[in-house]
Amino acid sequence: MIITVLSGKGGTGKTTVATNLAWVLSQSRKVQLLDADVEEPNDHLFLPPQIEETEPVEMLLPQVDQKACIKCGKCAKVCQFGAISVFKTGVMVFDSLCHGCGACALVCPKNAITEVPKAIGEVKSGKVHERINFSMGILNIGEPSGVKVIRKLKEKIDPSADIVIVDAPPGTSCPVVEALRGSDFALLVTEPTPFGLHDLQMAVELVSEMGIKAGIVVNRDSRGYESVERFSEESDIPILMRIPYDPQIAELYSRGILFSSHLPQWKVEFERLFEKIREMVEA
Amino acid sequence: MIQVAIVSGKGGTGKTTLSAALNLLFEDNVIADCDVDAPNLHLIFQPIKQRSYDYYGGKKAVIDYSKCTSCGVCEKFCRFDAVRRDGDKIVIDPFACEGCGVCVLKCPFEAVKLVESKAGEYYESLASVAQRPMVHAKLKAGEETSGGLVAEVRKTALKFEESGKQLVIIDGAPGIGCPATSSIVGVSYVVIVTEPTVSGLHDLQRIVETVRHYRRNFGVVINKSTINPEKRDEILRYAEKEGIVILGEIPFDPTVNTATINGKSILEYPESPAARSIVRIYEKLKEILKI
Ligand code: SF4
Ligand code: SF4
């Protein structure tokens, strides 16, 4: 079963939920944790892995043989991203705009364009302990999009794992879609504030468009704001767990410690959360 | 025009709280919400939309089934896994399609074309709370081109120079990818918000590298600085070693949560420790920016 943990926005406790859930479930099952928050991966700080393998993630960038080029301009015309320009003096490729689609090489009448791989990030894999396999994607600084890194990371999904937990990037844009693709369940982490609700609504819009079942975890729960409840009822996305606002949890987090490993009642809570998810997925 | 961007390597560090407050404190500025994936400033400023613009991020491939023979050539050439076979039909996944047009080029039956797709909207508004211009946006869920939309928001904010505005305060996009860098290229000054946690320090180092990559002047604000004194000291040591300006610290203050729940800026609680420290940060910023 693949569970993707997401939140309309960062900082709502997505990493906390993903790592605690992975750790609790791994007490009796084979778990795989994938950190797909490739711009700022953090799971490894809470569940330090032994990294056994590092693979580069590459994309193909066009390289122009200026001697073979006749400056016909076909490559620049076909490029949808304005990533290649033809000047009197030669052809220039703007790496940061290029999507690596290969259209320019396909249309060049002189075969003047070859595509060469360039590293844009990496995927590191290893084990946290016997029952947690771990992989994380890391986007290189200065690279515009983590989608390819996430795609490569998701190739790591191990069908023999009992549960795969994907920690998605924040937001609701393209990298999140990539992280969610193929998931059985979306666990939406939110906090009970107008910001949290607004971002939750956007996340719900996305998962319903993608046809993925979903449930909510309310983090930093405190009284005084009921709109998340109302939204849950109206949209038929159940609230599966509440983590109260608790200075002790915040303090453990700031030190990189999983609260479920220190506060035993939370083991039960996370097991219960998983049971509810399983019921919904199997329904 | 002076442009100040408030960013954080990651969401949830208190970026919106700080940028809402700074937007209120600077008197005659333009408010720009560049966190287009998850915009939140409008919840505080209650903008009244005056003009909306459609944003076309890019194109998407569309198949004309009266011509398609399901030969699958497009599937072979697509590098983004956006073309799939569904039974004997070839379908394009609009979420995965990057609109590059390789399928259009390779289709032997001219059955595919690229069509413009609306990726979101952006607005010129009047913030009813602060009575000043505000530019903000909404990206459709699942769209990728948020960097482009950020650029549109910034461009629109700059238009107010004609009406005498000298300053734009940008609530930047989180992360270090395209929307985040789109929020900081070319700005006059970057304010990085961090928090004293294990992950906060890690994210801070990545965003500092990113801001340096784009050669911007910047300073750091430590939010919730009292939750972990050890980590706070670690951040200070890191800053000192790297020669990074600390603009100020905001202590952990439950009033921030109260303000957030009520959809208000922390400045509406002027006696709170958080509001007081933000005012000091504002004064320091004014000195640095010489305004
Ligand atoms: S299509 Fe080929 S020959 Fe024509 S300008 Fe581009 S690189 Fe040169
Ligand atoms: S590979 Fe695609 S995106 Fe890159 S320059 Fe060529 S046509 Fe443009």
Side-chain angles (χ1 to χ4, degrees):
Chain A
M1 183 194 303
I2 306 177
I3 302 171
T4 298
V5 184
L6 71 155
S7 61
K9 184 154 189 148
T12 51
K14 195 169 47 60
T15 299
T16 306
V17 170
T19 49
N20 279 287
L21 182 63
W23 187 79
V24 170
L25 296 183
S26 76
Q27 302 302 305
S28 55
R29 304 172 186 81
K30 219 176 129 193
V31 174
Q32 188 183 22
L33 176 65
L34 300 180
D35 193 346
D37 190 355
V38 301
E39 290 187 32
E40 301 292 353
N42 282 153
D43 290 2
H44 64 288
L45 302 171
F46 297 88
L47 285 171
Q50 278 287 337
I51 296 296
E52 288 154 9
E53 192 188 18
T54 300
E55 294 162 74
V57 181
E58 294 172 334
M59 68 181 278
L60 292 171
L61 280 182
Q63 212 172 55
V64 183
D65 175 353
Q66 307 285 355
K67 276 200 235 79
C69 168
I70 52 167
K71 302 189 188 71
C72 67
K74 290 201 166 124
C75 52
K77 194 153 165 256
V78 80
C79 179
Q80 295 295 325
F81 311 105
I84 187 162
S85 295
V86 182
F87 301 104
K88 276 203 210 83
T89 46
V91 181
M92 257 184 80
V93 180
F94 301 95
D95 294 2
S96 63
L97 297 176
C98 176
H99 287 223
C101 67
C104 51
L106 281 173
V107 297
C108 175
K110 290 289 166 195
N111 289 326
I113 299 179
T114 38
E115 293 183 275
V116 285
K118 173 200 175 203
I120 57 161
E122 50 192 27
V123 170
K124 288 182 186 279
S125 305
K127 272 189 169 46
V128 176
H129 64 64
E130 263 322 295
R131 287 181 308 278
I132 305 187
N133 277 325
F134 176 81
S135 295
M136 69 195 273
I138 306 163
L139 180 70
N140 287 351
I141 292 195
E143 288 298 333
S145 164
V147 171
K148 285 192 183 68
V149 180
I150 297 173
R151 203 169 285 159
K152 180 100 180 183
L153 174 70
K154 290 193 71 185
E155 286 171 12
K156 293 274 156 199
I157 288 181
D158 172 8
S160 78
D162 297 321
I163 297 139
V164 180
I165 296 174
V166 180
D167 189 0
T172 47
S173 64
C174 194
V176 184
V177 174
E178 198 57 44
L180 268 172
R181 199 194 295 267
S183 304
D184 300 298
F185 195 84
L187 193 56
L188 311 171
V189 184
T190 188
E191 49 182 23
T193 67
F195 296 168
L197 176 65
H198 177 257
D199 301 334
L200 175 66
Q201 287 165 333
M202 297 196 46
V204 164
E205 212 181 291
L206 179 64
V207 292
S208 20
E209 215 169 311
M210 292 180 75
I212 297 173
K213 289 181 185 166
I216 298 169
V217 173
V218 180
N219 190 26
R220 290 190 209 107
D221 196 16
S222 59
R223 273 162 224 285
Y225 190 74
E226 308 300 326
S227 304
V228 174
E229 279 71 21
R230 238 173 290 137
F231 174 69
S232 157
E233 268 163 39
E234 283 162 16
S235 58
D236 218 14
I237 310 266
I239 295 177
L240 303 179
M241 184 164 95
R242 292 166 189 277
I243 304 171
Y245 177 74
D246 178 350
Q248 200 182 357
I249 291 179
E251 205 266 337
L252 288 168
Y253 173 85
S254 77
R255 285 162 45 206
I257 296 172
L258 297 178
F259 68 90
S260 62
S261 70
H262 261 236
L263 310 169
Q265 73 272 27
W266 284 100
K267 268 192 210 162
V268 185
E269 291 285 338
F270 277 102
E271 279 287 346
R272 221 177 262 157
L273 169 66
F274 177 66
E275 269 319 304
K276 290 183 192 161
I277 294 175
R278 188 161 63 194
E279 273 166 29
M280 285 181 73
V281 170
E282 283 168 5
Chain B
M1 240 163 139
I2 300 175
Q3 300 179 61
V4 178
I6 294 132
V7 303
S8 62
K10 189 145 182 156
T13 52
K15 182 173 62 64
T16 301
T17 302
L18 181 66
S19 55
L22 290 177
N23 262 305
L24 280 165
L25 287 164
F26 280 103
E27 263 139 39
D28 201 24
N29 64 304
V30 181
I31 305 166
D33 192 349
C34 284
D35 190 353
V36 299
D37 281 338
N40 281 150
L41 278 187
H42 65 284
L43 298 168
I44 289 180
F45 287 106
Q46 308 289 337
I48 300 158
K49 283 175 198 159
Q50 293 176 324
R51 232 176 270 171
S52 317
Y53 305 89
D54 288 339
Y55 169 65
Y56 292 93
K59 298 176 182 163
K60 301 242 183 254
V62 173
I63 296 180
D64 175 350
Y65 288 104
S66 69
K67 293 184 185 159
C68 174
T69 63
S70 304
C71 69
V73 169
C74 48
E75 188 188 3
K76 231 177 285 150
F77 279 90
C78 178
R79 290 186 181 168
F80 309 110
D81 286 333
V83 189
R84 298 222 179 109
R85 195 172 275 276
D86 183 7
D88 49 7
K89 205 172 164 196
I90 298 283
V91 291
I92 294 186
D93 176 352
F95 283 121
C97 177
E98 300 199 7
C100 70
V102 165
C103 50
V104 179
L105 282 177
K106 293 314 280 188
C107 175
F109 306 99
E110 296 186 9
V112 199
K113 61 176 197 236
L114 289 181
V115 294
E116 290 260 21
S117 94
K118 187 175 156 186
E121 288 180 356
Y122 57 104
Y123 319 100
E124 247 176 75
S125 302
L126 179 72
S128 60
V129 165
Q131 290 296 317
R132 64 196 69 173
M134 171 160 178
V135 187
H136 50 125
K138 187 173 178 348
L139 191 70
K140 265 182 28 196
E143 288 293 336
E144 63 143 337
T145 37
S146 49
L149 182 52
V150 167
E152 294 298 339
V153 170
R154 288 189 51 191
K155 234 191 287 164
T156 310
L158 290 181
K159 285 202 314 203
F160 289 94
E161 186 159 23
E162 290 160 21
S163 50
K165 298 284 175 197
Q166 296 299 328
L167 175 68
V168 188
I169 306 273
I170 299 164
D171 189 3
I176 60 158
C178 146
T181 55
S182 221
S183 323
I184 60 177
V185 283
V187 300
S188 328
Y189 197 80
V190 180
V191 177
I192 299 175
V193 190
T194 186
E195 56 176 25
T197 63
V198 175
S199 49
L201 182 59
H202 180 256
D203 300 336
L204 174 63
Q205 290 162 341
R206 300 223 344 135
I207 185 77
V208 163
E209 258 184 80
T210 308
V211 174
R212 283 189 171 150
H213 181 93
Y214 290 94
R215 298 203 180 86
R216 297 296 101 198
N217 289 325
F218 68 98
V220 168
V221 169
I222 308 176
N223 191 24
K224 301 182 203 143
S225 63
T226 46
I227 55 169
N228 186 331
E230 270 164 49
K231 282 285 159 225
R232 167 195 171 263
D233 292 348
E234 220 176 295
I235 291 176
L236 290 179
R237 278 198 300 277
Y238 161 74
E240 198 183 310
K241 195 178 95 219
E242 296 277 319
I244 294 168
V245 178
I246 298 284
L247 295 167
E249 298 183 35
I250 307 169
F252 175 77
D253 179 353
T255 324
V256 172
N257 202 39
T258 315
T260 308
I261 287 177
N262 294 324
K264 299 245 186 291
S265 163
I266 184 69
L267 293 180
E268 305 216 12
Y269 307 79
E271 294 308 316
S272 65
R276 285 161 178 263
S277 18
I278 290 177
V279 171
R280 281 197 294 275
I281 291 165
Y282 155 76
E283 270 151 12
K284 181 134 188 200
L285 256 179
K286 267 202 339 192
E287 248 170 63
I288 292 174
L289 300 169
K290 302 193 174 67
I291 42 180

